[in-house]
Coordinates of all heavy atoms in Angstrom, one line a residue:
M23 N 110.1 39.7 23.4 CA 109.2 40.8 23.6 C 109.9 42.0 24.2 O 110.8 41.8 25.1 CB 108.1 40.4 24.6 CG 106.8 41.1 24.2 SD 105.4 40.4 25.2 CE 105.3 41.6 26.5
K24 N 109.6 43.1 23.6 CA 110.3 44.4 24.1 C 109.8 44.8 25.4 O 108.6 44.9 25.6 CB 110.2 45.5 23.0 CG 111.2 46.6 23.1 CD 111.2 47.4 21.8 CE 112.3 48.5 21.9 NZ 111.7 49.7 22.6
I25 N 110.7 45.1 26.3 CA 110.2 45.6 27.7 C 110.0 47.1 27.6 O 110.9 47.8 27.1 CB 111.3 45.2 28.7 CG1 111.4 43.7 28.8 CG2 110.9 45.8 30.1 CD1 112.7 43.3 29.6
P26 N 108.8 47.6 28.0 CA 108.6 49.0 27.9 C 109.5 49.8 29.0 O 109.5 49.4 30.1 CB 107.1 49.2 28.2 CG 106.7 47.9 28.8 CD 107.7 46.9 28.5
M27 N 110.3 50.7 28.5 CA 111.2 51.5 29.3 C 110.7 52.9 29.5 O 110.1 53.5 28.5 CB 112.6 51.5 28.8 CG 113.2 50.1 28.6 SD 113.7 49.3 30.1 CE 115.3 50.1 30.3
R28 N 110.8 53.5 30.7 CA 110.4 54.8 30.9 C 111.5 55.6 31.6 O 112.3 55.0 32.3 CB 109.1 54.9 31.7 CG 107.9 54.4 31.0 CD 107.5 55.2 29.8 NE 106.2 54.8 29.2 CZ 106.2 53.9 28.2 NH1 107.3 53.3 27.7 NH2 105.1 53.5 27.7
Q29 N 111.5 56.9 31.5 CA 112.5 57.7 32.1 C 112.0 58.3 33.4 O 110.9 58.9 33.5 CB 112.9 58.8 31.2 CG 114.1 59.6 31.7 CD 114.6 60.7 30.7 OE1 113.8 61.2 30.0 NE2 115.9 60.9 30.7
C30 N 112.8 58.2 34.5 CA 112.5 58.8 35.7 C 112.7 60.3 35.6 O 113.8 60.8 35.1 CB 113.4 58.3 36.8 SG 113.4 59.2 38.4
S31 N 111.7 61.1 36.0 CA 111.9 62.6 35.8 C 112.8 63.2 36.8 O 113.2 64.4 36.6 CB 110.5 63.3 35.8 OG 109.8 62.9 36.9
A32 N 113.2 62.5 37.8 CA 114.2 63.0 38.8 C 115.6 62.7 38.4 O 116.5 63.6 38.3 CB 113.9 62.5 40.2
C33 N 116.0 61.4 38.3 CA 117.4 61.1 38.0 C 117.7 60.9 36.5 O 118.8 60.7 36.2 CB 117.7 59.8 38.8 SG 116.9 58.3 38.2
R34 N 116.6 60.9 35.7 CA 116.8 60.8 34.3 C 117.2 59.4 33.8 O 117.6 59.2 32.6 CB 117.8 61.8 33.7 CG 117.3 63.3 34.0 CD 116.3 63.7 32.9 NE 115.5 64.8 33.3 CZ 114.4 65.2 32.7 NH1 113.9 64.5 31.7 NH2 113.7 66.2 33.1
G35 N 117.2 58.5 34.7 CA 117.6 57.1 34.3 C 116.4 56.4 33.6 O 115.3 56.8 33.9
H36 N 116.7 55.4 32.8 CA 115.7 54.7 32.1 C 115.5 53.3 32.8 O 116.5 52.6 33.1 CB 116.0 54.4 30.7 CG 115.8 55.7 29.9 ND1 116.8 56.6 29.8 CD2 114.8 56.1 29.1 CE1 116.4 57.6 29.0 NE2 115.2 57.4 28.6
F37 N 114.2 53.0 33.1 CA 113.9 51.8 33.8 C 112.7 51.1 33.2 O 112.0 51.7 32.5 CB 113.7 52.1 35.3 CG 114.8 52.8 36.0 CD1 114.7 54.2 36.1 CD2 115.9 52.1 36.5 CE1 115.8 54.9 36.7 CE2 116.9 52.8 37.1 CZ 116.9 54.2 37.2
E38 N 112.5 49.8 33.6 CA 111.3 49.1 33.2 C 110.1 49.9 33.8 O 110.1 50.3 35.0 CB 111.3 47.7 33.7 CG 112.1 46.8 32.9 CD 112.0 45.3 33.5 OE1 110.9 44.9 33.7 OE2 113.1 44.7 33.6
K39 N 109.1 50.0 33.0 CA 107.9 50.8 33.4 C 107.3 50.3 34.8 O 106.9 51.1 35.6 CB 106.8 50.5 32.3 CG 105.7 51.5 32.3 CD 104.9 51.2 31.0 CE 103.5 51.8 31.1 NZ 102.7 51.5 30.0
R40 N 107.3 49.0 35.0 CA 106.7 48.5 36.2 C 107.6 48.8 37.5 O 107.1 48.7 38.6 CB 106.5 47.0 36.1 CG 107.7 46.2 35.9 CD 107.3 44.7 35.7 NE 108.5 43.9 35.3 CZ 109.3 43.4 36.2 NH1 109.1 43.5 37.4 NH2 110.4 42.7 35.7
Q41 N 108.8 49.2 37.3 CA 109.7 49.6 38.4 C 109.4 51.0 38.8 O 109.9 51.4 39.9 CB 111.1 49.4 38.0 CG 111.5 48.0 37.8 CD 113.0 47.9 37.5 OE1 113.6 48.7 36.8 NE2 113.7 46.9 38.2
L42 N 108.7 51.8 38.0 CA 108.5 53.2 38.3 C 107.1 53.5 38.8 O 106.2 52.6 38.6 CB 108.8 54.0 37.0 CG 110.2 53.8 36.4 CD1 110.2 54.5 35.0 CD2 111.2 54.4 37.3
L43 N 106.9 54.6 39.4 CA 105.6 55.1 39.7 C 105.1 56.1 38.6 O 106.0 56.9 38.1 CB 105.6 55.8 41.1 CG 105.8 54.9 42.3 CD1 106.0 55.8 43.5 CD2 104.6 54.0 42.5
R44 N 103.8 56.1 38.3 CA 103.3 57.0 37.3 C 102.5 58.1 38.0 O 101.6 57.8 38.8 CB 102.5 56.2 36.3 CG 102.0 57.1 35.1 CD 101.3 56.2 34.1 NE 100.9 57.0 32.9 CZ 99.6 57.2 32.6 NH1 98.6 56.8 33.4 NH2 99.3 58.0 31.6
I45 N 102.8 59.3 37.6 CA 102.0 60.4 38.1 C 101.3 61.1 36.9 O 102.0 61.3 35.9 CB 102.9 61.4 38.9 CG1 103.5 60.8 40.1 CG2 102.1 62.7 39.3 CD1 104.9 60.4 40.0
V46 N 100.1 61.3 37.0 CA 99.2 61.8 35.9 C 98.6 63.1 36.1 O 98.1 63.4 37.2 CB 98.1 60.7 35.6 CG1 97.3 61.1 34.4 CG2 98.7 59.4 35.4
R47 N 98.6 63.9 35.1 CA 97.7 65.1 35.1 C 96.5 64.7 34.3 O 96.6 64.4 33.1 CB 98.4 66.3 34.4 CG 97.6 67.6 34.6 CD 98.2 68.7 33.8 NE 97.9 68.5 32.4 CZ 98.5 69.2 31.4 NH1 99.5 70.0 31.6 NH2 98.2 68.9 30.1
T48 N 95.4 64.7 35.0 CA 94.1 64.3 34.3 C 93.6 65.4 33.4 O 94.1 66.5 33.5 CB 93.0 64.0 35.3 OG1 92.7 65.2 36.0 CG2 93.5 63.0 36.4
P49 N 92.7 65.1 32.5 CA 92.1 66.1 31.6 C 91.5 67.3 32.4 O 91.4 68.4 31.9 CB 91.1 65.4 30.8 CG 91.6 64.0 30.8 CD 92.2 63.8 32.1
D50 N 91.1 67.0 33.7 CA 90.6 68.1 34.5 C 91.7 69.0 35.2 O 91.3 69.9 35.9 CB 89.8 67.5 35.7 CG 88.5 66.8 35.2 OD1 88.0 67.2 34.1 OD2 88.0 65.9 35.9
G51 N 92.9 68.6 35.0 CA 94.0 69.4 35.6 C 94.5 68.9 37.0 O 95.3 69.6 37.6
D52 N 93.9 67.8 37.5 CA 94.3 67.3 38.7 C 95.6 66.5 38.5 O 95.7 65.8 37.5 CB 93.3 66.4 39.4 CG 92.0 67.1 39.7 OD1 92.1 68.3 40.1 OD2 90.9 66.6 39.6
V53 N 96.5 66.5 39.5 CA 97.7 65.7 39.4 C 97.6 64.7 40.5 O 97.4 65.0 41.7 CB 99.0 66.6 39.6 CG1 100.2 65.7 39.7 CG2 99.1 67.6 38.5
L54 N 97.7 63.4 40.1 CA 97.6 62.3 41.1 C 98.5 61.2 40.8 O 98.9 61.0 39.6 CB 96.1 61.9 41.2 CG 95.3 61.7 39.9 CD1 95.4 60.2 39.5 CD2 93.8 62.0 40.1
L55 N 98.7 60.3 41.8 CA 99.4 59.1 41.6 C 98.6 58.1 40.9 O 97.5 57.8 41.4 CB 99.9 58.6 43.0 CG 100.6 57.3 43.0 CD1 101.9 57.3 42.2 CD2 100.9 56.9 44.5
D56 N 99.1 57.5 39.9 CA 98.3 56.5 39.1 C 98.9 55.1 39.6 O 99.8 54.6 39.0 CB 98.6 56.7 37.6 CG 97.8 55.7 36.8 OD1 97.0 54.9 37.4 OD2 98.1 55.6 35.6
Q57 N 98.2 54.5 40.6 CA 98.6 53.3 41.1 C 98.6 52.1 40.2 O 99.4 51.2 40.2 CB 97.8 52.9 42.4 CG 97.9 53.9 43.5 CD 99.0 53.5 44.5 OE1 99.9 52.8 44.2 NE2 98.9 54.1 45.7
R58 N 97.6 52.1 39.3 CA 97.5 51.0 38.4 C 97.9 51.2 36.9 O 97.8 50.3 36.1 CB 96.0 50.5 38.4 CG 95.6 50.0 39.7 CD 94.1 49.6 39.8 NE 93.7 49.3 41.1 CZ 93.9 48.1 41.6 NH1 94.5 47.1 40.9 NH2 93.5 47.8 42.8
G59 N 98.3 52.4 36.6 CA 98.8 52.7 35.3 C 97.6 52.8 34.3 O 97.8 52.6 33.1
K60 N 96.4 53.1 34.8 CA 95.3 53.1 33.9 C 94.6 54.5 33.7 O 93.7 54.6 32.9 CB 94.2 52.2 34.5 CG 94.6 50.8 34.7 CD 94.7 50.0 33.4 CE 95.0 48.5 33.7 NZ 95.6 47.9 32.5
V61 N 95.1 55.5 34.5 CA 94.5 56.8 34.4 C 94.9 57.5 33.2 O 96.1 57.5 32.8 CB 94.9 57.6 35.7 CG1 94.3 59.0 35.6 CG2 94.5 56.9 37.0
S62 N 93.9 58.0 32.5 CA 94.3 58.7 31.2 C 94.7 60.2 31.5 O 94.3 60.8 32.5 CB 93.1 58.7 30.3 OG 92.1 59.5 30.8
G63 N 95.6 60.7 30.7 CA 96.1 62.0 30.9 C 97.6 62.0 30.6 O 98.2 61.0 30.2
R64 N 98.2 63.1 30.9 CA 99.7 63.2 30.7 C 100.4 62.6 31.8 O 100.2 63.0 33.0 CB 100.0 64.7 30.5 CG 101.4 65.0 30.3 CD 101.6 66.5 30.1 NE 103.1 66.8 29.9 CZ 103.5 67.7 29.0 NH1 102.6 68.4 28.3 NH2 104.7 67.9 28.8
G65 N 101.3 61.7 31.6 CA 101.9 61.0 32.7 C 103.4 61.2 32.7 O 104.1 61.4 31.7
V66 N 104.0 61.2 33.9 CA 105.4 61.2 34.1 C 105.8 60.1 35.0 O 104.9 59.6 35.8 CB 106.0 62.5 34.7 CG1 105.8 63.7 33.7 CG2 105.4 62.9 36.0
Y67 N 107.0 59.7 35.0 CA 107.4 58.6 35.8 C 108.5 59.0 36.8 O 109.3 59.9 36.6 CB 108.0 57.5 34.9 CG 106.9 56.9 34.1 CD1 106.5 57.5 32.9 CD2 106.2 55.7 34.5 CE1 105.4 57.0 32.1 CE2 105.1 55.2 33.7 CZ 104.8 55.8 32.5 OH 103.7 55.3 31.8
I68 N 108.5 58.2 37.9 CA 109.6 58.4 38.9 C 109.9 57.1 39.6 O 109.1 56.2 39.7 CB 109.1 59.5 40.0 CG1 110.3 59.9 40.9 CG2 107.9 59.0 40.8 CD1 110.0 61.1 41.7
C69 N 111.2 57.0 39.9 CA 111.7 55.7 40.6 C 110.9 55.6 41.9 O 110.5 56.5 42.5 CB 113.2 55.9 41.0 SG 114.3 56.0 39.6
R70 N 110.8 54.3 42.4 CA 110.3 54.1 43.7 C 111.4 54.3 44.7 O 111.9 53.4 45.4 CB 109.8 52.6 43.7 CG 108.6 52.3 42.9 CD 108.2 50.9 42.9 NE 107.2 50.6 41.9 CZ 105.9 50.6 42.2 NH1 105.5 51.0 43.3 NH2 105.0 50.3 41.2
S71 N 111.8 55.5 44.8 CA 112.9 55.9 45.7 C 112.6 57.2 46.3 O 112.3 58.2 45.6 CB 114.2 55.9 44.8 OG 115.0 57.0 45.1
E72 N 112.8 57.3 47.6 CA 112.6 58.6 48.3 C 113.6 59.6 47.8 O 113.4 60.8 47.8 CB 112.6 58.4 49.8 CG 111.3 57.8 50.3 CD 111.0 58.1 51.7 OE1 110.9 59.2 52.1 OE2 111.0 57.1 52.5
E73 N 114.8 59.1 47.5 CA 115.9 60.0 47.0 C 115.4 60.7 45.7 O 115.5 61.9 45.6 CB 117.1 59.2 46.7 CG 118.4 59.9 46.7 CD 119.6 59.1 46.3 OE1 119.6 57.9 46.7 OE2 120.4 59.6 45.6
C74 N 114.8 60.0 44.8 CA 114.3 60.6 43.6 C 113.1 61.5 43.9 O 113.0 62.5 43.2 CB 114.0 59.5 42.6 SG 115.4 58.9 41.7
L75 N 112.3 61.1 44.8 CA 111.1 61.9 45.1 C 111.6 63.3 45.7 O 111.1 64.3 45.3 CB 110.2 61.2 46.1 CG 109.0 62.0 46.5 CD1 108.1 62.4 45.3 CD2 108.1 61.3 47.5
N76 N 112.5 63.2 46.6 CA 113.0 64.4 47.2 C 113.7 65.3 46.2 O 113.5 66.5 46.2 CB 114.0 64.1 48.3 CG 113.4 63.4 49.5 OD1 112.2 63.6 49.7 ND2 114.1 62.7 50.3
K77 N 114.4 64.7 45.3 CA 115.0 65.4 44.2 C 114.0 66.1 43.3 O 114.1 67.3 42.9 CB 115.9 64.5 43.4 CG 116.9 65.2 42.5 CD 117.8 64.1 41.9 CE 118.7 64.7 40.8 NZ 119.6 63.7 40.2
A78 N 112.9 65.4 43.0 CA 111.9 65.9 42.2 C 111.1 67.0 42.8 O 110.8 68.0 42.2 CB 110.9 64.8 41.8
V79 N 110.9 66.9 44.2 CA 110.3 68.0 44.9 C 111.2 69.3 44.9 O 110.7 70.4 44.6 CB 110.0 67.6 46.4 CG1 109.6 68.8 47.2 CG2 109.0 66.5 46.4
K80 N 112.4 69.1 45.1 CA 113.4 70.2 45.2 C 113.5 70.9 43.8 O 113.6 72.1 43.8 CB 114.8 69.6 45.6 CG 115.7 70.6 46.2 CD 116.9 69.8 46.8 CE 118.0 70.7 47.1 NZ 119.2 69.9 47.5
T81 N 113.6 70.1 42.8 CA 113.8 70.7 41.4 C 112.4 71.0 40.7 O 112.4 71.5 39.6 CB 114.6 69.8 40.5 OG1 113.9 68.6 40.4 CG2 116.0 69.5 41.2
R82 N 111.3 70.6 41.4 CA 110.0 70.8 40.8 C 109.9 70.0 39.5 O 109.2 70.5 38.5 CB 109.6 72.2 40.6 CG 109.6 73.0 41.9 CD 109.2 74.5 41.7 NE 109.6 75.3 42.8 CZ 108.9 75.5 43.9 NH1 107.8 74.8 44.1 NH2 109.3 76.3 44.8
A83 N 110.6 68.9 39.4 CA 110.7 68.2 38.1 C 109.3 67.7 37.7 O 109.0 67.7 36.5 CB 111.6 67.0 38.3
L84 N 108.5 67.3 38.7 CA 107.2 66.7 38.3 C 106.2 67.8 37.8 O 105.6 67.6 36.8 CB 106.5 66.0 39.5 CG 107.3 64.8 40.1 CD1 106.6 64.3 41.3 CD2 107.4 63.7 39.0
S85 N 106.2 68.9 38.5 CA 105.3 70.0 38.1 C 105.7 70.6 36.7 O 104.9 71.0 35.9 CB 105.1 71.1 39.1 OG 106.3 71.5 39.6
R86 N 107.0 70.6 36.5 CA 107.5 71.1 35.2 C 107.2 70.2 34.1 O 106.8 70.6 33.0 CB 109.0 71.4 35.3 CG 109.3 72.8 35.9 CD 110.8 73.1 35.7 NE 111.6 72.3 36.5 CZ 112.7 71.7 36.1 NH1 113.1 71.8 34.8 NH2 113.5 71.0 36.9
A87 N 107.4 68.9 34.4 CA 107.1 67.9 33.3 C 105.6 67.9 33.0 O 105.2 67.7 31.9 CB 107.6 66.5 33.8
L88 N 104.8 68.1 34.1 CA 103.3 68.0 33.9 C 102.7 69.3 33.5 O 101.5 69.4 33.1 CB 102.7 67.4 35.2 CG 103.0 66.0 35.5 CD1 102.6 65.7 36.9 CD2 102.3 65.0 34.5
E89 N 103.4 70.4 33.7 CA 102.9 71.7 33.5 C 101.7 72.0 34.3 O 100.7 72.6 33.9 CB 102.7 72.0 32.0 CG 104.0 71.9 31.2 CD 103.7 71.9 29.7 OE1 102.6 72.0 29.2 OE2 104.7 71.9 28.9
A90 N 101.8 71.5 35.6 CA 100.7 71.7 36.5 C 101.3 71.6 37.9 O 102.3 70.9 38.1 CB 99.6 70.7 36.3
P91 N 100.7 72.3 38.9 CA 101.2 72.2 40.2 C 100.9 70.9 40.8 O 99.9 70.3 40.6 CB 100.5 73.3 41.0 CG 99.3 73.6 40.2 CD 99.6 73.3 38.8
V92 N 101.9 70.4 41.6 CA 101.7 69.1 42.3 C 101.5 69.4 43.8 O 102.3 70.0 44.4 CB 102.9 68.2 42.1 CG1 102.7 66.8 42.8 CG2 103.2 68.0 40.6
S93 N 100.3 69.0 44.3 CA 100.0 69.3 45.7 C 100.8 68.4 46.7 O 101.3 67.4 46.3 CB 98.5 69.0 46.0 OG 98.3 67.6 45.9
D94 N 101.0 69.0 47.9 CA 101.7 68.2 49.0 C 101.0 66.9 49.2 O 101.7 65.9 49.5 CB 101.6 69.1 50.3 CG 102.5 70.3 50.2 OD1 103.3 70.4 49.2 OD2 102.4 71.2 51.1
E95 N 99.7 66.9 49.1 CA 99.0 65.6 49.3 C 99.4 64.6 48.2 O 99.5 63.4 48.6 CB 97.5 66.0 49.1 CG 96.5 65.0 49.6 CD 95.1 65.4 49.4 OE1 94.8 66.5 49.0 OE2 94.2 64.5 49.5
T96 N 99.6 65.0 47.0 CA 100.0 64.1 46.0 C 101.4 63.6 46.3 O 101.7 62.4 46.1 CB 99.9 64.7 44.6 OG1 98.6 65.1 44.3 CG2 100.4 63.8 43.5
I97 N 102.3 64.5 46.7 CA 103.7 64.1 47.0 C 103.6 63.1 48.2 O 104.4 62.1 48.1 CB 104.5 65.4 47.5 CG1 104.6 66.4 46.3 CG2 105.8 65.0 48.1 CD1 105.5 65.9 45.2
E98 N 102.8 63.3 49.2 CA 102.7 62.4 50.3 C 102.2 61.0 49.8 O 102.6 60.0 50.3 CB 101.8 62.9 51.4 CG 102.5 64.0 52.3 CD 103.9 63.5 52.7 OE1 104.1 62.4 53.3 OE2 104.9 64.2 52.4
S99 N 101.2 61.0 48.9 CA 100.7 59.7 48.4 C 101.8 59.0 47.6 O 101.9 57.7 47.7 CB 99.4 59.9 47.6 OG 99.7 60.6 46.4
I100 N 102.7 59.7 46.9 CA 103.8 59.1 46.2 C 104.8 58.5 47.3 O 105.2 57.4 47.2 CB 104.5 60.1 45.3 CG1 103.6 60.6 44.2 CG2 105.8 59.5 44.7 CD1 104.1 61.8 43.5
R101 N 105.1 59.3 48.3 CA 106.0 58.9 49.4 C 105.5 57.6 50.0 O 106.2 56.7 50.3 CB 106.2 60.0 50.4 CG 107.4 59.8 51.3 CD 107.5 61.0 52.3 NE 107.6 62.3 51.7 CZ 108.8 62.8 51.2 NH1 109.9 62.1 51.3 NH2 108.8 64.0 50.6
Q102 N 104.2 57.6 50.3 CA 103.6 56.4 50.9 C 103.7 55.2 50.0 O 104.1 54.1 50.5 CB 102.1 56.7 51.1 CG 101.4 55.8 52.0 CD 101.9 55.7 53.4 OE1 102.3 56.8 54.0 NE2 102.1 54.6 54.0
A103 N 103.5 55.4 48.7 CA 103.6 54.2 47.8 C 105.0 53.7 47.7 O 105.3 52.5 47.6 CB 103.1 54.7 46.4
I104 N 106.0 54.6 47.8 CA 107.4 54.2 47.8 C 107.7 53.4 49.0 O 108.4 52.4 49.0 CB 108.3 55.5 47.7 CG1 108.2 56.1 46.3 CG2 109.8 55.1 48.0 CD1 108.9 57.5 46.2
R105 N 107.2 53.9 50.2 CA 107.5 53.2 51.4 C 106.8 51.8 51.4 O 107.4 50.8 51.9 CB 107.0 54.0 52.6 CG 107.9 55.2 52.8 CD 107.6 55.9 54.1 NE 108.6 57.0 54.3 CZ 108.3 58.1 54.9 NH1 107.2 58.3 55.5 NH2 109.2 59.1 54.9
E106 N 105.6 51.7 50.9 CA 104.9 50.4 50.8 C 105.7 49.5 49.9 O 105.8 48.3 50.2 CB 103.5 50.6 50.3 CG 102.6 51.1 51.4 CD 101.2 51.6 50.9 OE1 100.9 51.3 49.7 OE2 100.5 52.2 51.6
S107 N 106.2 50.0 48.8 CA 106.9 49.0 47.9 C 108.3 48.6 48.5 O 108.8 47.5 48.2 CB 107.1 49.6 46.5 OG 107.6 50.9 46.4
A108 N 108.8 49.5 49.3 CA 110.1 49.2 50.0 C 109.9 48.1 51.0 O 110.7 47.2 51.3 CB 110.7 50.4 50.6
N109 N 108.7 48.1 51.6 CA 108.4 47.1 52.7 C 108.0 45.7 52.1 O 107.9 44.8 52.8 CB 107.3 47.6 53.6 CG 107.7 48.8 54.4 OD1 108.9 48.9 54.6 ND2 106.8 49.6 54.9
G110 N 107.6 45.7 50.9 CA 107.2 44.4 50.5 C 107.2 44.3 49.0 O 106.7 43.3 48.5
Ligands
LIG221 ZN1 115.0 58.1 39.5

């Protein structure tokens, strides 16, 4: 079976989909972290790594890929999810 691979928008590396976090721009234009991979809309992926998140914030990689602003709140929820996956 073929493993679905996705590209991290920060480091540009390709990884298994389940290793990445998905961030979605919903049809309403909201940008949010898609914890379960079920939210419909335009999605981008990022490594579960604060290094990649910081890089994405600095280069605005997420908002450019999504063509929508990413709120600090969304960034914080991504950071939280990264920390949680690092802990367990
Ligand atoms: Zn990455």
Side-chain angles (χ1 to χ4, degrees):
M23 213 170 98
K24 198 163 182 277
I25 298 164
M27 302 288 276
R28 293 290 183 273
Q29 187 177 32
C30 168
S31 50
C33 69
R34 298 279 162 195
H36 287 82
F37 305 94
E38 282 183 44
K39 200 174 162 183
R40 62 185 172 86
Q41 293 183 316
L42 302 170
L43 288 171
R44 184 172 184 251
I45 295 105
V46 182
R47 187 188 74 196
T48 69
D50 293 337
D52 295 327
V53 175
L54 46 90
L55 172 64
D56 180 10
Q57 296 269 21
R58 296 176 185 280
K60 302 284 184 204
V61 179
S62 65
R64 181 180 181 138
V66 294
Y67 292 84
I68 189 166
C69 296
R70 293 176 187 270
S71 135
E72 287 203 59
E73 199 184 326
C74 279
L75 179 61
N76 291 337
K77 193 172 175 180
V79 170
K80 204 169 161 185
T81 62
R82 301 181 199 279
L84 298 176
S85 51
R86 276 191 290 133
L88 292 166
E89 294 171 0
V92 181
S93 68
D94 291 347
E95 199 183 343
T96 300
I97 296 294
E98 281 314 305
S99 64
I100 298 167
R101 196 180 301 279
Q102 194 63 39
I104 290 169
R105 289 193 178 148
E106 280 167 16
S107 50
N109 291 337

